Amino acid sequence: MSEPRFAENQQAAPIHRVRASAALTSFMNALTVSLFALVPSGRLAVATIVVAVAGLLFVGATLLSLVRLHALAASRIHEAVFLIGLAAVFVFQLSAAVRLHRHPLDAGLAETIAMLVVACFVIGIYRAWDLVGGPSFDLAHEVRRLMAGRRS
């Protein structure tokens, strides 16, 4: 009786680690860039480049790990989609940081990086919420239930 449960837990373990790592990576990215933004030495671009590259390496390694462990079943494909979205944030961050390094007085690029820091923070919160098993709310599902309730 405990065998299927054990197999289910073994399948969930890599996904659990991915969620935890994604939350930590997002929070570390946001914290590091935010702290370097406070330092008046002008090292924001370099720090952002470093954490964006580290984030991209994390996403690449995680996707390879999921493929290797065959953990990307159809029911878990949203994990890969989420990681690809996280990679997109890191690519935008890297691009803005490289341009900021070339043009250190461009306030628009610094603002772009600031908005991407906010995005990383929100991603970290979302992943942490998902990790602790917080309820998810699907707007379309809730609207359908509301409409069905009104009909009856």
Side-chain angles (χ1 to χ4, degrees), residues 19 22-23 26-27 78-79 82-83 118-137:
R19 290 176 180 165
S26 296
F27 283 134
H78 68 277
E79 297 298 332
F82 177 84
L83 287 169
V118 171
C120 283
F121 189 71
V122 170
I123 288 167
I125 290 171
Y126 173 80
R127 278 282 100 160
W129 182 255
D130 194 33
L131 190 62
V132 299
S136 65
F137 300 99

Side-chain angles (χ1 to χ4, degrees), residues 10 20 43 49 56 64 75-76 101 115 137:
Q10 291 293 10
R43 302 253 193 269
I49 289 169
L56 286 169
L64 287 174
S75 63
R76 301 284 190 187
H101 187 65
M115 295 309 292
F137 300 99

Side-chain angles (χ1 to χ4, degrees), residues 76-150:
R76 301 284 190 187
I77 201 70
H78 68 277
E79 297 298 332
V81 171
F82 177 84
L83 287 169
I84 291 167
L86 184 58
V89 170
F90 292 146
V91 166
F92 284 123
Q93 191 178 46
L94 180 61
S95 173
V98 167
R99 288 182 290 153
L100 182 63
H101 187 65
R102 291 184 190 142
H103 308 287
L105 300 178
D106 189 334
L109 292 171
E111 185 176 333
T112 298
I113 291 171
M115 295 309 292
L116 291 166
V117 164
V118 171
C120 283
F121 189 71
V122 170
I123 288 167
I125 290 171
Y126 173 80
R127 278 282 100 160
W129 182 255
D130 194 33
L131 190 62
V132 299
S136 65
F137 300 99
D138 178 5
L139 182 61
H141 176 72
E142 294 299 324
V143 169
R144 281 192 302 270
R145 289 186 71 192
L146 180 65
M147 299 308 272
R150 286 189 176 185

Side-chain angles (χ1 to χ4, degrees), residues 23-33 51:
L24 183 61
T25 300
S26 296
F27 283 134
M28 287 301 296
N29 181 296
L31 179 64
T32 302
V33 174
V51 295

